[in-house]
mmCIF file of all heavy atoms in Angstrom:
data_model
loop_
_atom_site.group_PDB
_atom_site.id
_atom_site.type_symbol
_atom_site.label_atom_id
_atom_site.label_comp_id
_atom_site.label_asym_id
_atom_site.label_seq_id
_atom_site.Cartn_x
_atom_site.Cartn_y
_atom_site.Cartn_z
ATOM 1 N N TYR A 8 12.139 -5.751 0.495
ATOM 2 C CA TYR A 8 10.760 -6.186 0.749
ATOM 3 C C TYR A 8 10.204 -6.969 -0.441
ATOM 4 O O TYR A 8 9.618 -8.042 -0.268
ATOM 5 C CB TYR A 8 9.841 -4.985 1.061
ATOM 6 C CG TYR A 8 8.399 -5.426 1.016
ATOM 7 C CD1 TYR A 8 7.892 -6.269 2.012
ATOM 8 C CD2 TYR A 8 7.574 -5.098 -0.055
ATOM 9 C CE1 TYR A 8 6.588 -6.740 1.939
ATOM 10 C CE2 TYR A 8 6.274 -5.565 -0.130
ATOM 11 C CZ TYR A 8 5.786 -6.387 0.869
ATOM 12 O OH TYR A 8 4.511 -6.868 0.791
ATOM 13 N N SER A 25 -1.660 -8.049 1.065
ATOM 14 C CA SER A 25 -2.149 -6.688 1.299
ATOM 15 C C SER A 25 -3.372 -6.382 0.429
ATOM 16 O O SER A 25 -4.089 -5.427 0.695
ATOM 17 C CB SER A 25 -1.052 -5.656 1.033
ATOM 18 O OG SER A 25 -0.604 -5.772 -0.299
ATOM 19 N N ALA A 75 2.166 0.511 -15.309
ATOM 20 C CA ALA A 75 2.117 -0.899 -14.894
ATOM 21 C C ALA A 75 2.021 -0.953 -13.373
ATOM 22 O O ALA A 75 3.038 -1.022 -12.674
ATOM 23 C CB ALA A 75 3.352 -1.620 -15.405
ATOM 24 N N GLY A 76 0.798 -0.902 -12.860
ATOM 25 C CA GLY A 76 0.584 -0.973 -11.412
ATOM 26 C C GLY A 76 0.958 0.329 -10.711
ATOM 27 O O GLY A 76 1.448 1.286 -11.335
ATOM 28 N N THR A 77 0.721 0.339 -9.386
ATOM 29 C CA THR A 77 1.106 1.526 -8.606
ATOM 30 C C THR A 77 2.620 1.595 -8.456
ATOM 31 O O THR A 77 3.182 2.674 -8.266
ATOM 32 C CB THR A 77 0.448 1.500 -7.211
ATOM 33 O OG1 THR A 77 -0.918 1.149 -7.357
ATOM 34 C CG2 THR A 77 0.526 2.844 -6.529
ATOM 35 N N SER A 78 3.279 0.436 -8.548
ATOM 36 C CA SER A 78 4.748 0.430 -8.422
ATOM 37 C C SER A 78 5.357 1.319 -9.495
ATOM 38 O O SER A 78 6.155 2.220 -9.200
ATOM 39 C CB SER A 78 5.299 -0.989 -8.590
ATOM 40 O OG SER A 78 4.701 -1.855 -7.672
ATOM 41 N N MET A 79 4.983 1.069 -10.757
ATOM 42 C CA MET A 79 5.547 1.880 -11.837
ATOM 43 C C MET A 79 5.019 3.308 -11.757
ATOM 44 O O MET A 79 5.741 4.258 -12.088
ATOM 45 C CB MET A 79 5.229 1.246 -13.189
ATOM 46 C CG MET A 79 5.960 1.893 -14.334
ATOM 47 S SD MET A 79 7.753 2.055 -14.042
ATOM 48 C CE MET A 79 8.394 1.184 -15.431
ATOM 49 N N ASN A 81 4.421 5.004 -9.036
ATOM 50 C CA ASN A 81 5.253 5.713 -8.055
ATOM 51 C C ASN A 81 6.622 6.046 -8.645
ATOM 52 O O ASN A 81 7.168 7.131 -8.446
ATOM 53 C CB ASN A 81 5.423 4.872 -6.784
ATOM 54 C CG ASN A 81 4.172 4.901 -5.910
ATOM 55 O OD1 ASN A 81 3.378 5.833 -6.000
ATOM 56 N ND2 ASN A 81 3.985 3.888 -5.081
ATOM 57 N N TYR A 102 6.066 2.128 3.222
ATOM 58 C CA TYR A 102 6.121 0.960 2.342
ATOM 59 C C TYR A 102 7.507 0.962 1.679
ATOM 60 O O TYR A 102 7.868 1.903 0.971
ATOM 61 C CB TYR A 102 4.990 1.084 1.318
ATOM 62 C CG TYR A 102 5.010 0.082 0.192
ATOM 63 C CD1 TYR A 102 4.886 -1.285 0.442
ATOM 64 C CD2 TYR A 102 5.131 0.496 -1.131
ATOM 65 C CE1 TYR A 102 4.886 -2.207 -0.590
ATOM 66 C CE2 TYR A 102 5.119 -0.415 -2.172
ATOM 67 C CZ TYR A 102 5.003 -1.763 -1.904
ATOM 68 O OH TYR A 102 5.001 -2.676 -2.939
ATOM 69 N N ILE A 105 8.851 2.395 -1.836
ATOM 70 C CA ILE A 105 8.819 3.850 -2.060
ATOM 71 C C ILE A 105 10.166 4.456 -1.660
ATOM 72 O O ILE A 105 10.747 5.271 -2.377
ATOM 73 C CB ILE A 105 7.661 4.480 -1.236
ATOM 74 C CG1 ILE A 105 6.323 4.110 -1.883
ATOM 75 C CG2 ILE A 105 7.818 5.996 -1.118
ATOM 76 C CD1 ILE A 105 5.097 4.519 -1.082
ATOM 77 N N THR A 148 1.185 7.660 1.926
ATOM 78 C CA THR A 148 0.222 6.672 1.432
ATOM 79 C C THR A 148 -1.098 6.922 2.154
ATOM 80 O O THR A 148 -1.116 7.197 3.353
ATOM 81 C CB THR A 148 0.702 5.236 1.710
ATOM 82 O OG1 THR A 148 1.060 5.113 3.094
ATOM 83 C CG2 THR A 148 1.903 4.884 0.865
ATOM 84 N N ASN A 152 -0.024 2.392 4.336
ATOM 85 C CA ASN A 152 0.526 1.044 4.433
ATOM 86 C C ASN A 152 1.732 1.154 5.338
ATOM 87 O O ASN A 152 2.622 1.961 5.038
ATOM 88 C CB ASN A 152 0.948 0.550 3.035
ATOM 89 C CG ASN A 152 1.451 -0.874 3.065
ATOM 90 O OD1 ASN A 152 1.385 -1.542 4.087
ATOM 91 N ND2 ASN A 152 1.959 -1.343 1.940
ATOM 92 N N ASP A 180 -0.049 8.143 -2.584
ATOM 93 C CA ASP A 180 -0.302 6.798 -3.101
ATOM 94 C C ASP A 180 -1.648 6.360 -2.518
ATOM 95 O O ASP A 180 -1.775 6.132 -1.321
ATOM 96 C CB ASP A 180 0.857 5.895 -2.646
ATOM 97 C CG ASP A 180 0.682 4.430 -3.014
ATOM 98 O OD1 ASP A 180 -0.469 3.967 -3.109
ATOM 99 O OD2 ASP A 180 1.704 3.747 -3.172
ATOM 100 N N VAL A 182 -3.493 3.654 -3.388
ATOM 101 C CA VAL A 182 -3.853 2.317 -3.873
ATOM 102 C C VAL A 182 -4.879 1.601 -2.969
ATOM 103 O O VAL A 182 -5.645 0.767 -3.435
ATOM 104 C CB VAL A 182 -2.577 1.457 -4.130
ATOM 105 C CG1 VAL A 182 -1.877 1.046 -2.852
ATOM 106 C CG2 VAL A 182 -2.913 0.242 -4.967
ATOM 107 N N TYR A 183 -4.914 1.983 -1.668
ATOM 108 C CA TYR A 183 -5.879 1.346 -0.753
ATOM 109 C C TYR A 183 -7.115 2.209 -0.461
ATOM 110 O O TYR A 183 -7.966 1.818 0.328
ATOM 111 C CB TYR A 183 -5.199 1.008 0.588
ATOM 112 C CG TYR A 183 -4.037 0.051 0.446
ATOM 113 C CD1 TYR A 183 -2.722 0.508 0.496
ATOM 114 C CD2 TYR A 183 -4.248 -1.308 0.242
ATOM 115 C CE1 TYR A 183 -1.654 -0.355 0.346
ATOM 116 C CE2 TYR A 183 -3.182 -2.182 0.095
ATOM 117 C CZ TYR A 183 -1.892 -1.696 0.146
ATOM 118 O OH TYR A 183 -0.841 -2.564 -0.004
ATOM 119 N N SER A 207 -4.041 2.056 -8.502
ATOM 120 C CA SER A 207 -4.199 0.938 -9.444
ATOM 121 C C SER A 207 -5.403 0.109 -9.027
ATOM 122 O O SER A 207 -5.996 0.336 -7.966
ATOM 123 C CB SER A 207 -2.949 0.050 -9.445
ATOM 124 O OG SER A 207 -2.799 -0.571 -8.186
ATOM 125 N N THR A 209 -4.994 -2.992 -8.377
ATOM 126 C CA THR A 209 -4.332 -4.221 -7.932
ATOM 127 C C THR A 209 -4.703 -4.676 -6.518
ATOM 128 O O THR A 209 -4.531 -5.837 -6.193
ATOM 129 C CB THR A 209 -2.798 -4.051 -7.980
ATOM 130 O OG1 THR A 209 -2.446 -2.949 -7.129
ATOM 131 C CG2 THR A 209 -2.308 -3.772 -9.390
ATOM 132 N N LYS A 210 -5.165 -3.764 -5.656
ATOM 133 C CA LYS A 210 -5.305 -4.142 -4.241
ATOM 134 C C LYS A 210 -6.746 -4.349 -3.807
ATOM 135 O O LYS A 210 -7.045 -5.290 -3.069
ATOM 136 C CB LYS A 210 -4.695 -3.038 -3.353
ATOM 137 C CG LYS A 210 -3.221 -2.856 -3.546
ATOM 138 C CD LYS A 210 -2.477 -4.053 -3.020
ATOM 139 C CE LYS A 210 -1.038 -4.043 -3.472
ATOM 140 N NZ LYS A 210 -0.344 -5.282 -3.177
ATOM 141 N N ARG A 218 -2.409 -5.487 -13.854
ATOM 142 C CA ARG A 218 -1.393 -4.444 -13.648
ATOM 143 C C ARG A 218 -1.897 -3.068 -14.101
ATOM 144 O O ARG A 218 -1.130 -2.261 -14.648
ATOM 145 C CB ARG A 218 -0.073 -4.791 -14.372
ATOM 146 C CG ARG A 218 0.526 -6.124 -14.013
ATOM 147 C CD ARG A 218 0.831 -6.273 -12.537
ATOM 148 N NE ARG A 218 1.772 -5.288 -12.045
ATOM 149 C CZ ARG A 218 1.724 -4.780 -10.825
ATOM 150 N NH1 ARG A 218 0.811 -5.159 -9.956
ATOM 151 N NH2 ARG A 218 2.613 -3.906 -10.447
ATOM 152 N N ARG A 334 2.636 -7.317 9.928
ATOM 153 C CA ARG A 334 1.428 -6.914 9.203
ATOM 154 C C ARG A 334 0.610 -8.129 8.791
ATOM 155 O O ARG A 334 1.146 -9.113 8.273
ATOM 156 C CB ARG A 334 1.804 -6.104 7.958
ATOM 157 C CG ARG A 334 0.628 -5.337 7.374
ATOM 158 C CD ARG A 334 0.950 -4.727 6.026
ATOM 159 N NE ARG A 334 1.104 -5.765 5.014
ATOM 160 C CZ ARG A 334 1.515 -5.550 3.778
ATOM 161 N NH1 ARG A 334 1.848 -4.339 3.383
ATOM 162 N NH2 ARG A 334 1.612 -6.555 2.928
HETATM 163 C C1 PLP B 401 1.441 1.548 -0.713
HETATM 164 C C2 PLP B 401 1.679 0.664 -1.897
HETATM 165 N N1 PLP B 401 1.956 1.225 -3.078
HETATM 166 C C3 PLP B 401 2.183 0.466 -4.166
HETATM 167 C C4 PLP B 401 2.137 -0.900 -4.114
HETATM 168 C C5 PLP B 401 2.381 -1.687 -5.362
HETATM 169 O O1 PLP B 401 1.175 -1.880 -5.998
HETATM 170 P P1 PLP B 401 1.028 -2.510 -7.451
HETATM 171 O O2 PLP B 401 0.848 -3.971 -7.250
HETATM 172 O O3 PLP B 401 -0.182 -1.837 -8.013
HETATM 173 O O4 PLP B 401 2.250 -2.200 -8.228
HETATM 174 C C6 PLP B 401 1.853 -1.534 -2.910
HETATM 175 C C7 PLP B 401 1.845 -2.987 -2.815
HETATM 176 O O5 PLP B 401 1.770 -3.603 -1.773
HETATM 177 C C8 PLP B 401 1.614 -0.727 -1.776
HETATM 178 O O6 PLP B 401 1.329 -1.276 -0.584
#
Side-chain angles (χ1 to χ4, degrees):
Y8 168 70
S25 59
T77 314
S78 304
M79 189 50 123
N81 284 337
Y102 171 62
I105 287 173
T148 51
N152 183 6
D180 175 331
V182 71
Y183 300 103
S207 65
T209 59
K210 296 291 167 190
R218 304 302 300 146
R334 196 189 69 187

